[in-house]
Amino acid sequence: MADIDNKDQAEMDPADMEDVEDVEEEETGEDENSKARQLTVQMMQNPQILAALQERLDGLNGSPSGYMESLPKVVKRRVNALKNLQVKCAHIEAKFYEEVHELERKYAALYQPLFDKRSEIVTAAYEPTDEECEWKTDEEEELTVQDEMKEKAKLEEEKKDEEKENPKGIPEFWLTVFKNVDLLSDMLQEHDEPVLKHLQDIKVKFSDPGQPMSFTLEFHFEPNEFFTNTVLSKTYKMRSEPDESDPFSFDGPEIMSCVGCTIDWTKGKNVTLKTIKKKQKHKGRGTVRTVTKTVPNDSFFNFFTPPEVPESGELDEDSEAILAADFEIGHFIRERIVPRAVLYFTGEAIEDDDDDYDEEGEEADDEEGEEEADEENDPDYDPKKDGTPPAECRQQ
């Protein structure tokens, strides 16, 4: 980002200067623990670190046993025939995913009226009827007559409170969804929240029949003070065919590139940039001057300016890591967030995910407990033989 010299600074809009930060004061005033926490969060958001962890995990899949090298030439020849069959399987699988994409497009048209109705309720364009709002849980079905009377009175009180407050639609629906999902909340900054309060809907659009595979995420905003766009979009271009140089790596449609959009920010409201002041000391004269610079700022809205993929398709490691993380987010929004938005708003979808992890953790704990119990119940077990100190020694 180009530096803004003092002359240009004089011409800046006063609103731009409201976000000016004094770097020296900020650095000297921060608490050490807070710095450590911020550093940890930044590390976990670093695409390079995430890519390195993923590479390490991929390396745990296994390694060849060496049996293949010991086979006679005639058997290796037959194995080559199997590999040729596998290549044909990969091409058939590619066609399968192309047809799946066509099915997705077909059913997207069936889902869309429901998603449109959802948007109308969220934005207060439509008020659902009592019948549409009725939702009975198992507990409610078992209520006694007395409980029903109490519940009815409670609902009437809530209705009166709502009439007093008179909120429209479902305020901050999509912002709450973003906050509830770790993958998105990690991207979300405090200065993004006032902007995302104006987000009214997210739509998925698939490529037309006969066109290369792609999907577009459309973020629809109500008129706001931050930018003049009504829709921010991002298109992911995909390929569903095996790589001729490495056909066995094919594992379904692959995102090849993505294209964002230009955000027409209102002057002084661009949350992807920040203005800082730094003091510079002249080596010879010893005089100090204040230099103002505009630098990139962490923001969810950087999502709409991904790194460009050159025609050669070759990227440096940083860009590859950023794009890999970007593709994961794009897929998650398309496959999970848009279809199940209300469940992420209420937290029910997150609870389901947490339950899955808890079950795995409990199983692991149980297995560990069983192993410890087996050791204690084994009459031949001697802690001195395996090098484990007795309990009384470990406590010292």
Side-chain angles (χ1 to χ4, degrees):
M1 183 66 64
D3 292 358
I4 298 179
D5 57 22
N6 294 327
K7 181 179 179 181
D8 293 335
Q9 178 59 34
E11 299 175 357
M12 288 182 64
D13 187 88
D16 290 326
M17 294 302 298
E18 292 178 0
D19 296 330
V20 170
E21 301 176 0
D22 192 323
V23 175
E24 290 187 354
E25 291 182 4
E26 182 177 346
E27 290 178 352
T28 56
E30 282 189 332
D31 180 76
E32 291 298 327
N33 292 332
S34 177
K35 285 184 178 180
R37 286 194 297 270
Q38 290 179 6
L39 181 60
T40 302
V41 171
Q42 290 173 2
M43 288 176 64
M44 293 312 297
Q45 293 179 6
N46 189 318
Q48 287 180 278
I49 295 176
L50 294 176
L53 289 173
Q54 185 62 49
E55 185 177 353
R56 182 68 181 272
L57 291 173
D58 292 341
L60 299 177
N61 290 338
S63 57
S65 64
Y67 178 67
M68 177 65 186
E69 287 73 14
S70 67
L71 294 174
K73 187 175 181 179
V74 65
V75 178
K76 291 182 178 179
R77 179 173 173 273
R78 294 168 189 148
V79 172
N80 289 337
L82 297 184
K83 291 170 72 175
N84 284 325
L85 291 176
Q86 190 63 42
V87 171
K88 291 181 180 179
C89 286
H91 284 282
I92 292 174
E93 186 180 6
K95 293 296 181 183
F96 164 78
Y97 283 113
E98 287 180 4
E99 292 194 20
V100 168
H101 188 69
E102 293 297 323
L103 277 175
E104 285 184 315
R105 180 177 19 248
K106 174 184 175 182
Y107 279 89
L110 300 178
Y111 287 129
Q112 195 55 52
L114 302 178
F115 295 156
D116 290 342
K117 189 78 167 284
R118 177 180 70 188
S119 177
E120 290 175 356
I121 294 174
V122 168
T123 59
Y126 172 77
E127 183 61 36
T129 64
D130 291 341
E131 183 179 356
E132 290 174 319
C133 294
E134 186 177 351
W135 180 265
K136 286 187 177 181
T137 63
D138 293 339
E139 294 178 357
E140 289 175 341
E141 291 175 357
E142 297 176 1
L143 291 176
T144 64
V145 175
Q146 187 177 1
D147 291 333
E148 288 180 357
M149 294 295 291
K150 291 180 179 179
E151 187 68 19
K152 187 175 181 181
K154 181 181 178 182
L155 290 173
E156 288 179 356
E157 289 180 5
E158 290 178 353
K159 189 174 181 180
K160 290 179 181 178
D161 292 339
E162 289 179 359
E163 288 174 354
K164 291 178 182 178
E165 297 174 2
N166 194 26
K168 294 182 178 180
I170 303 179
E172 301 183 15
F173 178 82
W174 289 103
L175 174 58
T176 304
V177 171
F178 276 49
K179 287 183 174 181
N180 285 346
V181 179
D182 289 343
L183 190 65
L184 300 178
S185 65
D186 287 344
M187 304 166 59
L188 192 63
Q189 307 297 321
E190 186 176 350
H191 48 257
D192 293 325
E193 295 186 16
V195 190
L196 287 171
K197 286 181 180 180
H198 298 283
L199 178 59
Q200 293 185 309
D201 198 12
I202 303 177
K203 296 182 179 181
V204 180
K205 298 291 181 68
F206 292 92
S207 54
D208 294 330
Q211 297 297 317
M213 289 177 62
S214 69
F215 68 91
T216 300
L217 300 176
E218 292 184 351
F219 294 71
H220 292 252
F221 287 82
E222 65 183 349
N224 60 81
E225 60 182 304
F226 298 96
F227 46 72
T228 58
N229 311 66
T230 57
V231 178
L232 302 182
S233 63
K234 189 169 184 180
T235 299
Y236 290 86
K237 299 179 180 179
M238 300 184 292
R239 180 182 68 181
S240 182
E241 60 184 42
D243 188 342
E244 293 183 2
S245 61
D246 186 16
F248 302 129
S249 65
F250 180 74
D251 191 27
E254 177 185 8
I255 294 180
M256 302 305 297
S257 64
C258 58
V259 180
C261 68
T262 300
I263 302 178
D264 300 321
W265 294 100
T266 304
K267 192 172 184 180
K269 297 294 184 179
N270 188 346
V271 296
T272 65
L273 299 175
K274 66 179 178 179
T275 306
I276 63 173
K277 289 193 297 185
K278 296 189 72 173
K279 292 181 179 179
Q280 295 181 342
K281 187 175 182 179
H282 194 280
K283 292 181 180 179
R285 296 191 296 269
T287 56
V288 177
R289 68 172 183 174
T290 300
V291 178
T292 304
K293 292 184 177 181
T294 298
V295 297
N297 195 20
D298 290 337
S299 169
F300 164 77
F301 291 91
N302 291 325
F303 177 71
F304 296 97
T305 54
E308 294 184 6
V309 179
E311 294 182 2
S312 62
E314 297 181 0
L315 293 168
D316 57 55
E317 292 184 1
D318 290 347
S319 297
E320 280 188 0
I322 293 172
L323 282 177
D326 183 277
F327 294 167
E328 180 184 357
I329 293 166
H331 266 306
F332 191 80
I333 293 174
R334 164 197 163 185
E335 296 179 354
R336 302 295 295 275
I337 298 298
V338 172
R340 309 178 70 201
V342 65
L343 300 182
Y344 284 100
F345 176 80
T346 62
E348 292 170 83
I350 302 162
E351 290 172 3
D352 291 342
D353 294 340
D354 290 343
D355 289 342
D356 292 339
Y357 285 110
D358 289 342
E359 288 174 5
E360 293 176 4
E362 287 170 6
E363 289 177 3
D365 293 341
D366 291 342
E367 291 174 2
E368 184 179 350
E370 288 174 5
E371 290 176 2
E372 292 176 356
D374 289 342
E375 291 175 348
E376 293 174 0
N377 296 328
D378 186 353
D380 298 327
Y381 174 71
D382 185 354
K384 295 179 181 178
K385 292 181 180 180
D386 70 347
T388 304
E392 60 267 24
C393 295
R394 295 197 300 270
Q395 291 172 358
Q396 292 178 356

